[in-house]
Amino acid sequence: MPAKKDPRLARAGVSGYNKPKRTPNHKTKSHVVVAKQGDQIKTIRFGQQGKTGDKGNTARSRSFKARHGANIKKGKMSAAYWANKVKW
């Protein structure tokens, strides 16, 4: 018998844990992810709607990483980690 699918995945509209998805119709946030680390699970919305990140080493991306460096280091359970990974 297959394991029951977590209702948080369906509610967020993602295909699995730690798989971010764009949310173009959300009022303020551009992405959502259901983060899982160990047995801890959390739904995280991140990214400013309408703003694009810079995947290159630009002044904007360096500023973002400098501003949010401490939060990025917190790992998969922080919005800054996912914004850094997906948008920057």
Side-chain angles (χ1 to χ4, degrees), residues 7-21:
R8 289 173 279 210
L9 295 173
R11 194 175 316 125
V14 295
S15 60
Y17 297 114
N18 299 328
K19 294 186 178 181
K21 180 183 177 186

Side-chain angles (χ1 to χ4, degrees), residues 28-45:
T28 56
K29 298 300 179 185
S30 66
H31 290 77
V32 65
V33 65
V34 179
K36 182 175 183 178
Q37 194 170 35
D39 58 349
Q40 187 180 15
I41 301 171
K42 183 177 178 183
T43 301
I44 300 172
R45 291 193 175 277

